[in-house]
Each structure stands twice: as structure tokens, then as C-alpha cells.
Amino acid sequence: MTTTVLAPTQFEVKPLPYAYDALAPAISSETLHYHHDKHYAGYVDKLNLLVADTPYADRSLEEIIATSDGAIFNNAAQAWNHEFFFEQFSPQPQTQPTGALREAIDRDFGSVEQLHAAIRKASVALFGSGWVWLVKDSTGHLSLLSTRNAGTPIRHGLVPLLCFDVWEHAYYLDYQNRRADAVDASWGLIDWQKVAQRYRRGGAGH
Ligand code: MN
């Protein structure tokens, strides 16, 4: 007789949408194994332990992020941020934004190249661990937002379009202290078709 044990696990680790070696050499297979399987999965596992037998146990990730603080917020937001981050890359990306998104970038940053430069600058300027985001506000204006640690734009009512993980765990194996180089390398893996979907959808989901 077999017994099926139902683990009280609410949130699942989403698999990478590409092979571990698909983004190399910009992001190595070793980095993705650590980043996805250890860091991101660790946040999901910790969140499941933290929310068990609490009112958060049957809430969505977004609902938890909106209303929690402390360790539950940190792990829920990091789970969400990482899913959003991994999803934006592709080994065969659409390498340039087009259409309405391109027009909005040109309007609010001057050009795609200037957006890239602004993201690089913000990434280097962020002291410690955190994220740099391209966000859209309720009027459609695009801007950059830097958040510390697990901070996330969906807590601020902003629509995230793109993010750069500038925690050292995201790049240290490949780039050591060269955070700007890591940002530049991953820039070319951004699938602007996915960013455009986020831009059109406009909500905080992904
Ligand atoms: Mn990370």
C-alpha cells in the first residue's frame, strides 16, 4: 500500500523557459543553476514554510506582496521578482523594441541606447543588493526605479516592464565585481517581444 503525502506546498518553482546553457556565455550555465535552482528556489521553499498555517496560505503571490512585510514579504517578492527576471530573456530574442513601446522609450529616455546607459548607471549606483526596473506609471510614462533587497514595483502601483537583478549572486560567478559588464552582457538577451507584451498588458501580472 502506498501513501501519497500531500505537502502543504502552495507555490511551485517555475522552470526556466530555456535551457541552462542557452544564455551562455553572457550568463553561464553555472550561474543559472545557482541562481534558479538555489537562490530563486530557496525563496519559494522558504515562503512555503513561512505561509503554512497562516492567512497567507491561500493567497496569490501578488496579494502576499501587497499586504505582508518582514520575511514573508521578502521571500514572496523575491520569488515574484525572479520569475519576472528569468522570463524576460531568450536565446533568440527580438533584439530591439518596436512599435508603441519603442515610441515610449524614445519619448521618455531619448533612445534605446540612452535607456541602456541609464540602466547601467542606476545598476552601478545601487549600493548593496537590489533591482533596477523599467516601469510604467498610470499615465503611461516610463521611468527607472531602483529597489533595495526584495523591493518590487508592484508594491508601488507601478507596472514593471524589465528588471536587472544586481544582487551579487546574479553575476558574481561570471563577472565578479564588474556589475556594469554583467548588465551589458544580459542586455543583448532581453526579448523585447516579451517586454512589449508586458507594456501592452499594463497590469502587474507576468
Ligand atoms: Mn537573484
Side-chain angles (χ1 to χ4, degrees), residues 9-31:
T9 304
Q10 184 186 4
F11 298 104
E12 294 182 354
V13 175
K14 292 188 179 178
L16 281 178
Y18 33 76
Y20 285 91
D21 61 359
L23 305 184
I27 303 174
S28 70
S29 174
E30 187 181 22
T31 287

PDB file of all heavy atoms in Angstrom, residues 9-31:
ATOM      1  N   THR A   9       2.430  22.546   0.178  1.00  0.00           N
ATOM      2  CA  THR A   9       3.181  23.485  -0.642  1.00  0.00           C
ATOM      3  C   THR A   9       2.244  24.246  -1.556  1.00  0.00           C
ATOM      4  O   THR A   9       1.526  23.664  -2.347  1.00  0.00           O
ATOM      5  CB  THR A   9       4.224  22.738  -1.489  1.00  0.00           C
ATOM      6  OG1 THR A   9       5.057  21.988  -0.628  1.00  0.00           O
ATOM      7  CG2 THR A   9       5.064  23.714  -2.288  1.00  0.00           C
ATOM      8  N   GLN A  10       2.254  25.534  -1.443  1.00  0.00           N
ATOM      9  CA  GLN A  10       1.371  26.351  -2.261  1.00  0.00           C
ATOM     10  C   GLN A  10       2.053  26.821  -3.532  1.00  0.00           C
ATOM     11  O   GLN A  10       1.478  26.786  -4.604  1.00  0.00           O
ATOM     12  CB  GLN A  10       0.896  27.553  -1.455  1.00  0.00           C
ATOM     13  CG  GLN A  10      -0.113  28.392  -2.227  1.00  0.00           C
ATOM     14  CD  GLN A  10      -0.461  29.645  -1.492  1.00  0.00           C
ATOM     15  OE1 GLN A  10       0.098  29.934  -0.438  1.00  0.00           O
ATOM     16  NE2 GLN A  10      -1.381  30.412  -2.044  1.00  0.00           N
ATOM     17  N   PHE A  11       3.258  27.288  -3.394  1.00  0.00           N
ATOM     18  CA  PHE A  11       3.936  27.883  -4.537  1.00  0.00           C
ATOM     19  C   PHE A  11       4.951  26.909  -5.121  1.00  0.00           C
ATOM     20  O   PHE A  11       5.634  26.202  -4.397  1.00  0.00           O
ATOM     21  CB  PHE A  11       4.626  29.189  -4.127  1.00  0.00           C
ATOM     22  CG  PHE A  11       3.646  30.202  -3.647  1.00  0.00           C
ATOM     23  CD1 PHE A  11       3.517  30.476  -2.299  1.00  0.00           C
ATOM     24  CD2 PHE A  11       2.810  30.856  -4.549  1.00  0.00           C
ATOM     25  CE1 PHE A  11       2.590  31.401  -1.853  1.00  0.00           C
ATOM     26  CE2 PHE A  11       1.883  31.769  -4.107  1.00  0.00           C
ATOM     27  CZ  PHE A  11       1.762  32.049  -2.751  1.00  0.00           C
ATOM     28  N   GLU A  12       5.016  26.896  -6.433  1.00  0.00           N
ATOM     29  CA  GLU A  12       5.928  25.982  -7.122  1.00  0.00           C
ATOM     30  C   GLU A  12       7.054  26.760  -7.777  1.00  0.00           C
ATOM     31  O   GLU A  12       6.875  27.899  -8.207  1.00  0.00           O
ATOM     32  CB  GLU A  12       5.173  25.187  -8.189  1.00  0.00           C
ATOM     33  CG  GLU A  12       4.138  24.240  -7.608  1.00  0.00           C
ATOM     34  CD  GLU A  12       3.443  23.422  -8.675  1.00  0.00           C
ATOM     35  OE1 GLU A  12       3.692  23.674  -9.871  1.00  0.00           O
ATOM     36  OE2 GLU A  12       2.653  22.547  -8.290  1.00  0.00           O
ATOM     37  N   VAL A  13       8.199  26.122  -7.847  1.00  0.00           N
ATOM     38  CA  VAL A  13       9.335  26.689  -8.568  1.00  0.00           C
ATOM     39  C   VAL A  13       9.051  26.554 -10.063  1.00  0.00           C
ATOM     40  O   VAL A  13       8.874  25.449 -10.562  1.00  0.00           O
ATOM     41  CB  VAL A  13      10.639  25.963  -8.201  1.00  0.00           C
ATOM     42  CG1 VAL A  13      11.801  26.476  -9.038  1.00  0.00           C
ATOM     43  CG2 VAL A  13      10.939  26.131  -6.717  1.00  0.00           C
ATOM     44  N   LYS A  14       8.969  27.694 -10.739  1.00  0.00           N
ATOM     45  CA  LYS A  14       8.724  27.643 -12.178  1.00  0.00           C
ATOM     46  C   LYS A  14      10.026  27.309 -12.906  1.00  0.00           C
ATOM     47  O   LYS A  14      11.066  27.908 -12.624  1.00  0.00           O
ATOM     48  CB  LYS A  14       8.206  29.000 -12.670  1.00  0.00           C
ATOM     49  CG  LYS A  14       6.822  29.330 -12.142  1.00  0.00           C
ATOM     50  CD  LYS A  14       6.272  30.593 -12.803  1.00  0.00           C
ATOM     51  CE  LYS A  14       4.869  30.887 -12.286  1.00  0.00           C
ATOM     52  NZ  LYS A  14       4.324  32.139 -12.866  1.00  0.00           N
ATOM     53  N   PRO A  15       9.975  26.371 -13.845  1.00  0.00           N
ATOM     54  CA  PRO A  15      11.212  26.033 -14.569  1.00  0.00           C
ATOM     55  C   PRO A  15      11.667  27.195 -15.438  1.00  0.00           C
ATOM     56  O   PRO A  15      10.857  28.030 -15.863  1.00  0.00           O
ATOM     57  CB  PRO A  15      10.815  24.830 -15.417  1.00  0.00           C
ATOM     58  CG  PRO A  15       9.335  24.898 -15.528  1.00  0.00           C
ATOM     59  CD  PRO A  15       8.829  25.575 -14.282  1.00  0.00           C
ATOM     60  N   LEU A  16      12.947  27.234 -15.716  1.00  0.00           N
ATOM     61  CA  LEU A  16      13.461  28.223 -16.656  1.00  0.00           C
ATOM     62  C   LEU A  16      12.790  28.030 -18.010  1.00  0.00           C
ATOM     63  O   LEU A  16      12.573  26.897 -18.436  1.00  0.00           O
ATOM     64  CB  LEU A  16      14.970  28.052 -16.849  1.00  0.00           C
ATOM     65  CG  LEU A  16      15.923  28.589 -15.797  1.00  0.00           C
ATOM     66  CD1 LEU A  16      17.354  28.241 -16.219  1.00  0.00           C
ATOM     67  CD2 LEU A  16      15.767  30.080 -15.605  1.00  0.00           C
ATOM     68  N   PRO A  17      12.485  29.119 -18.715  1.00  0.00           N
ATOM     69  CA  PRO A  17      11.855  28.978 -20.041  1.00  0.00           C
ATOM     70  C   PRO A  17      12.857  28.712 -21.158  1.00  0.00           C
ATOM     71  O   PRO A  17      12.542  28.926 -22.329  1.00  0.00           O
ATOM     72  CB  PRO A  17      11.156  30.330 -20.220  1.00  0.00           C
ATOM     73  CG  PRO A  17      11.936  31.287 -19.416  1.00  0.00           C
ATOM     74  CD  PRO A  17      12.507  30.505 -18.252  1.00  0.00           C
ATOM     75  N   TYR A  18      14.059  28.275 -20.791  1.00  0.00           N
ATOM     76  CA  TYR A  18      15.100  27.939 -21.772  1.00  0.00           C
ATOM     77  C   TYR A  18      16.087  27.015 -21.064  1.00  0.00           C
ATOM     78  O   TYR A  18      16.018  26.838 -19.845  1.00  0.00           O
ATOM     79  CB  TYR A  18      15.822  29.205 -22.279  1.00  0.00           C
ATOM     80  CG  TYR A  18      15.948  30.293 -21.230  1.00  0.00           C
ATOM     81  CD1 TYR A  18      16.888  30.183 -20.211  1.00  0.00           C
ATOM     82  CD2 TYR A  18      15.096  31.386 -21.229  1.00  0.00           C
ATOM     83  CE1 TYR A  18      16.972  31.144 -19.235  1.00  0.00           C
ATOM     84  CE2 TYR A  18      15.176  32.361 -20.244  1.00  0.00           C
ATOM     85  CZ  TYR A  18      16.115  32.241 -19.259  1.00  0.00           C
ATOM     86  OH  TYR A  18      16.191  33.194 -18.268  1.00  0.00           O
ATOM     87  N   ALA A  19      16.996  26.412 -21.838  1.00  0.00           N
ATOM     88  CA  ALA A  19      17.988  25.507 -21.253  1.00  0.00           C
ATOM     89  C   ALA A  19      18.986  26.295 -20.410  1.00  0.00           C
ATOM     90  O   ALA A  19      19.210  27.488 -20.636  1.00  0.00           O
ATOM     91  CB  ALA A  19      18.724  24.750 -22.359  1.00  0.00           C
ATOM     92  N   TYR A  20      19.595  25.602 -19.441  1.00  0.00           N
ATOM     93  CA  TYR A  20      20.537  26.271 -18.546  1.00  0.00           C
ATOM     94  C   TYR A  20      21.732  26.867 -19.290  1.00  0.00           C
ATOM     95  O   TYR A  20      22.291  27.871 -18.865  1.00  0.00           O
ATOM     96  CB  TYR A  20      21.041  25.300 -17.470  1.00  0.00           C
ATOM     97  CG  TYR A  20      20.015  25.024 -16.397  1.00  0.00           C
ATOM     98  CD1 TYR A  20      19.122  23.959 -16.511  1.00  0.00           C
ATOM     99  CD2 TYR A  20      19.923  25.846 -15.275  1.00  0.00           C
ATOM    100  CE1 TYR A  20      18.168  23.718 -15.542  1.00  0.00           C
ATOM    101  CE2 TYR A  20      18.981  25.608 -14.293  1.00  0.00           C
ATOM    102  CZ  TYR A  20      18.097  24.543 -14.432  1.00  0.00           C
ATOM    103  OH  TYR A  20      17.153  24.309 -13.465  1.00  0.00           O
ATOM    104  N   ASP A  21      22.111  26.223 -20.399  1.00  0.00           N
ATOM    105  CA  ASP A  21      23.271  26.733 -21.144  1.00  0.00           C
ATOM    106  C   ASP A  21      22.875  27.628 -22.317  1.00  0.00           C
ATOM    107  O   ASP A  21      23.726  28.028 -23.104  1.00  0.00           O
ATOM    108  CB  ASP A  21      24.143  25.575 -21.637  1.00  0.00           C
ATOM    109  CG  ASP A  21      23.397  24.641 -22.579  1.00  0.00           C
ATOM    110  OD1 ASP A  21      22.193  24.873 -22.840  1.00  0.00           O
ATOM    111  OD2 ASP A  21      24.015  23.668 -23.054  1.00  0.00           O
ATOM    112  N   ALA A  22      21.590  27.964 -22.416  1.00  0.00           N
ATOM    113  CA  ALA A  22      21.100  28.685 -23.602  1.00  0.00           C
ATOM    114  C   ALA A  22      21.539  30.139 -23.641  1.00  0.00           C
ATOM    115  O   ALA A  22      21.538  30.746 -24.715  1.00  0.00           O
ATOM    116  CB  ALA A  22      19.578  28.604 -23.670  1.00  0.00           C
ATOM    117  N   LEU A  23      21.878  30.704 -22.508  1.00  0.00           N
ATOM    118  CA  LEU A  23      22.220  32.135 -22.469  1.00  0.00           C
ATOM    119  C   LEU A  23      23.726  32.372 -22.387  1.00  0.00           C
ATOM    120  O   LEU A  23      24.175  33.517 -22.291  1.00  0.00           O
ATOM    121  CB  LEU A  23      21.517  32.823 -21.289  1.00  0.00           C
ATOM    122  CG  LEU A  23      19.995  32.664 -21.227  1.00  0.00           C
ATOM    123  CD1 LEU A  23      19.428  33.487 -20.066  1.00  0.00           C
ATOM    124  CD2 LEU A  23      19.315  33.041 -22.529  1.00  0.00           C
ATOM    125  N   ALA A  24      24.485  31.291 -22.407  1.00  0.00           N
ATOM    126  CA  ALA A  24      25.946  31.413 -22.346  1.00  0.00           C
ATOM    127  C   ALA A  24      26.472  31.966 -23.668  1.00  0.00           C
ATOM    128  O   ALA A  24      25.887  31.703 -24.718  1.00  0.00           O
ATOM    129  CB  ALA A  24      26.554  30.042 -22.075  1.00  0.00           C
ATOM    130  N   PRO A  25      27.560  32.722 -23.632  1.00  0.00           N
ATOM    131  CA  PRO A  25      28.405  32.991 -22.460  1.00  0.00           C
ATOM    132  C   PRO A  25      27.980  34.215 -21.639  1.00  0.00           C
ATOM    133  O   PRO A  25      28.577  34.457 -20.604  1.00  0.00           O
ATOM    134  CB  PRO A  25      29.769  33.252 -23.098  1.00  0.00           C
ATOM    135  CG  PRO A  25      29.425  33.920 -24.410  1.00  0.00           C
ATOM    136  CD  PRO A  25      28.156  33.248 -24.868  1.00  0.00           C
ATOM    137  N   ALA A  26      26.968  34.960 -22.075  1.00  0.00           N
ATOM    138  CA  ALA A  26      26.591  36.169 -21.328  1.00  0.00           C
ATOM    139  C   ALA A  26      26.197  35.821 -19.893  1.00  0.00           C
ATOM    140  O   ALA A  26      26.582  36.504 -18.935  1.00  0.00           O
ATOM    141  CB  ALA A  26      25.445  36.885 -22.039  1.00  0.00           C
ATOM    142  N   ILE A  27      25.374  34.771 -19.752  1.00  0.00           N
ATOM    143  CA  ILE A  27      25.007  34.240 -18.438  1.00  0.00           C
ATOM    144  C   ILE A  27      25.303  32.742 -18.505  1.00  0.00           C
ATOM    145  O   ILE A  27      24.685  32.015 -19.277  1.00  0.00           O
ATOM    146  CB  ILE A  27      23.522  34.481 -18.107  1.00  0.00           C
ATOM    147  CG1 ILE A  27      23.184  35.974 -18.166  1.00  0.00           C
ATOM    148  CG2 ILE A  27      23.191  33.919 -16.725  1.00  0.00           C
ATOM    149  CD1 ILE A  27      21.699  36.292 -17.982  1.00  0.00           C
ATOM    150  N   SER A  28      26.246  32.287 -17.701  1.00  0.00           N
ATOM    151  CA  SER A  28      26.700  30.900 -17.819  1.00  0.00           C
ATOM    152  C   SER A  28      25.694  29.907 -17.239  1.00  0.00           C
ATOM    153  O   SER A  28      24.844  30.252 -16.419  1.00  0.00           O
ATOM    154  CB  SER A  28      28.041  30.733 -17.092  1.00  0.00           C
ATOM    155  OG  SER A  28      27.847  30.828 -15.689  1.00  0.00           O
ATOM    156  N   SER A  29      25.857  28.661 -17.668  1.00  0.00           N
ATOM    157  CA  SER A  29      25.033  27.590 -17.119  1.00  0.00           C
ATOM    158  C   SER A  29      25.227  27.472 -15.605  1.00  0.00           C
ATOM    159  O   SER A  29      24.271  27.260 -14.855  1.00  0.00           O
ATOM    160  CB  SER A  29      25.416  26.276 -17.813  1.00  0.00           C
ATOM    161  OG  SER A  29      24.745  25.190 -17.233  1.00  0.00           O
ATOM    162  N   GLU A  30      26.451  27.623 -15.148  1.00  0.00           N
ATOM    163  CA  GLU A  30      26.722  27.536 -13.711  1.00  0.00           C
ATOM    164  C   GLU A  30      25.963  28.625 -12.944  1.00  0.00           C
ATOM    165  O   GLU A  30      25.346  28.366 -11.909  1.00  0.00           O
ATOM    166  CB  GLU A  30      28.227  27.664 -13.459  1.00  0.00           C
ATOM    167  CG  GLU A  30      28.606  27.426 -12.003  1.00  0.00           C
ATOM    168  CD  GLU A  30      30.100  27.577 -11.753  1.00  0.00           C
ATOM    169  OE1 GLU A  30      30.780  28.250 -12.558  1.00  0.00           O
ATOM    170  OE2 GLU A  30      30.563  27.037 -10.729  1.00  0.00           O
ATOM    171  N   THR A  31      26.000  29.852 -13.476  1.00  0.00           N
ATOM    172  CA  THR A  31      25.261  30.935 -12.824  1.00  0.00           C
ATOM    173  C   THR A  31      23.768  30.634 -12.793  1.00  0.00           C
ATOM    174  O   THR A  31      23.100  30.823 -11.769  1.00  0.00           O
ATOM    175  CB  THR A  31      25.517  32.262 -13.561  1.00  0.00           C
ATOM    176  OG1 THR A  31      26.845  32.703 -13.269  1.00  0.00           O
ATOM    177  CG2 THR A  31      24.533  33.348 -13.127  1.00  0.00           C
TER     178      THR A  31
END
